[in-house]
Amino acid sequence: MSQPCPCNPAHTYASCCQPLHHGAAAADPQALMRSRYSAYVLGLVPYLLASWDASTRPLELTLEPALQWLRLELLSQHEEGDQGQVHYRAHYRHGTHWGVLEEQSRFRRDHGHWRYVDGAVQDHPVKPGRNLPCPCGSGRKFKQCCG
């Protein structure tokens, strides 16, 4: 049995993001964004750089090892010709701190492959309440889960 995909635990990694991580073209900007989220979770820096548009790609990328990505929420997507946008929230934990990174990302199709261009990012700290749902997405109360 294959492991769940980081971008959507209802799907297996092998049937969701793994083909893109091995070179398959994303069908749309949302699929590329999901695969990039999974690449951040799995630490796949070469894929992150390869899926970045050449006009905005950094020379190198270093991931924060203490940052744990927990779940992804897709809010909206729009595609018109070779341009696309995806609005999402990515929930994370960094040590004892919780947060939500929200981004309105822009994508461009180049020679049949979607590439990440840039995005407007907002980072919101989250202070979980003991009796509120756990920010990890388990569905349990924070005090009975990660608290």
Side-chain angles (χ1 to χ4, degrees):
M1 185 158 87
S2 186
Q3 66 187 32
C5 193
C7 81
N8 184 350
H11 294 92
T12 64
Y13 174 64
S15 68
C16 190
C17 290
Q18 187 177 42
L20 279 69
H21 293 162
H22 289 152
D28 55 35
Q30 182 188 117
L32 181 66
M33 192 282 309
R34 285 179 171 279
S35 72
R36 286 177 55 81
Y37 171 82
S38 292
Y40 274 101
V41 171
L42 300 170
L44 304 176
V45 172
Y47 177 78
L48 291 166
L49 291 171
S51 62
W52 213 309
D53 190 77
S55 67
T56 57
R57 180 186 312 130
L59 295 176
E60 59 183 48
L61 179 65
T62 303
L63 302 181
E64 172 59 50
L67 188 63
Q68 179 185 10
W69 294 103
L70 302 171
R71 65 186 168 100
L72 177 66
E73 283 181 87
L74 292 173
L75 304 174
S76 67
Q77 75 165 3
H78 176 75
E79 180 183 337
E80 190 171 315
D82 289 337
Q83 306 294 317
Q85 293 183 350
V86 178
H87 184 194
Y88 70 91
R89 287 187 194 122
H91 299 258
Y92 66 87
R93 182 179 189 174
H94 190 255
T96 59
H97 302 285
W98 300 83
V100 176
L101 182 138
E102 187 169 340
E103 182 171 355
Q104 180 73 39
S105 301
R106 292 188 317 130
F107 297 85
R108 178 181 306 136
R109 187 171 24 216
D110 179 39
H111 296 96
H113 287 267
W114 285 100
R115 304 280 185 230
Y116 171 77
V117 177
D118 59 18
V121 177
Q122 295 179 356
D123 197 351
H124 311 282
V126 173
K127 182 159 175 61
R130 289 179 42 79
N131 290 313
L132 294 176
C134 190
C136 78
S138 69
R140 298 184 311 187
K141 290 182 179 181
F142 178 68
K143 68 181 179 185
Q144 296 171 334
C145 190
C146 296

